Amino acid sequence: MRHGCKVNHLSRTHAHRVAMLSNMATSLIMHKRIETTVAKAKALRVYVEPIINRSKEDTTHNRRIVFSYLHSKEAVNELFREVSQKVANRPGGYTRILKTGIRHGDNSEMAIIELVDYNENMLKESTTKKAKATRRSRAKKVENAAPVAEAPVAEAETPKAE
């Protein structure tokens, strides 16, 4: 029985699971977004967020700790040079999981996991927001119609004055 065990074993041995998460974390850092199953994406988020948090402070000790998790010199350099610059002001939540539907082969739920600060489409949407059309816009049209109705009344009063 699991009884409070927080780790999703993903039907793999410990060595296989650690190797898989290491490879997935390396791919996520290098490509900024990967497609996988929802269960693996959730396990990867728990694995990679502390690694990204370590990259905020560029010391030899932190580089060695991150290298022990990733086993890729290129990924460590990418993380400490580029990714750490983008996440420097962010207090956490460096990844985003977007569910994409099911895989036709085995009906497993698929998802895209990505680094938050690298999705250019969502960054553009957050900076340019459209004005909401409300029901008040109809009231403006009614107000414009009211002065038009008063204008003919004023013309009708002038012939009476003559």
Side-chain angles (χ1 to χ4, degrees), residues 85-103:
Q85 301 298 321
K86 288 220 175 188
V87 300
N89 298 327
R90 183 177 287 276
Y94 309 114
T95 58
R96 175 186 299 127
I97 296 175
L98 303 169
K99 294 183 181 180
T100 58
I102 59 169
R103 184 164 51 196

Side-chain angles (χ1 to χ4, degrees), residues 35-86:
E35 185 176 0
T36 183
T37 62
V38 173
K40 287 181 188 175
K42 288 179 180 180
L44 179 62
R45 177 175 53 192
V46 172
Y47 186 84
V48 79
E49 296 241 352
I51 294 172
I52 295 173
N53 200 21
R54 280 251 181 219
S55 72
K56 288 183 175 182
E57 186 181 353
D58 190 4
T59 62
T60 305
H61 180 64
N62 283 344
R63 280 182 176 263
R64 287 179 177 166
I65 289 175
V66 169
F67 183 77
S68 72
Y69 284 100
L70 297 180
H71 306 293
S72 170
K73 191 185 296 186
E74 293 83 16
V76 171
N77 287 335
E78 177 86 11
L79 179 65
F80 278 90
R81 286 187 184 149
E82 295 180 18
V83 176
S84 65
Q85 301 298 321
K86 288 220 175 188

Side-chain angles (χ1 to χ4, degrees), residues 90-142:
R90 183 177 287 276
Y94 309 114
T95 58
R96 175 186 299 127
I97 296 175
L98 303 169
K99 294 183 181 180
T100 58
I102 59 169
R103 184 164 51 196
H104 293 295
D106 59 355
N107 205 32
S108 62
E109 294 183 56
M110 298 300 289
I112 293 175
I113 182 168
E114 64 184 6
L115 297 177
V116 171
D117 294 320
Y118 281 92
N119 190 341
E120 301 299 328
N121 295 333
M122 288 197 171
L123 292 176
K124 288 179 186 175
E125 289 176 8
S126 64
T127 56
T128 59
K129 292 188 177 181
K130 296 179 183 177
K132 265 184 137 176
T134 60
R135 294 204 48 143
R136 284 180 246 141
S137 62
R138 291 178 72 196
K140 292 178 185 176
K141 293 177 184 175
V142 174

Side-chain angles (χ1 to χ4, degrees), residues 13-25 47 69 71:
T13 62
H14 176 75
H16 186 185
R17 187 173 57 252
V18 169
M20 182 190 66
L21 290 173
S22 174
N23 290 335
M24 288 175 68
Y47 186 84
Y69 284 100
H71 306 293

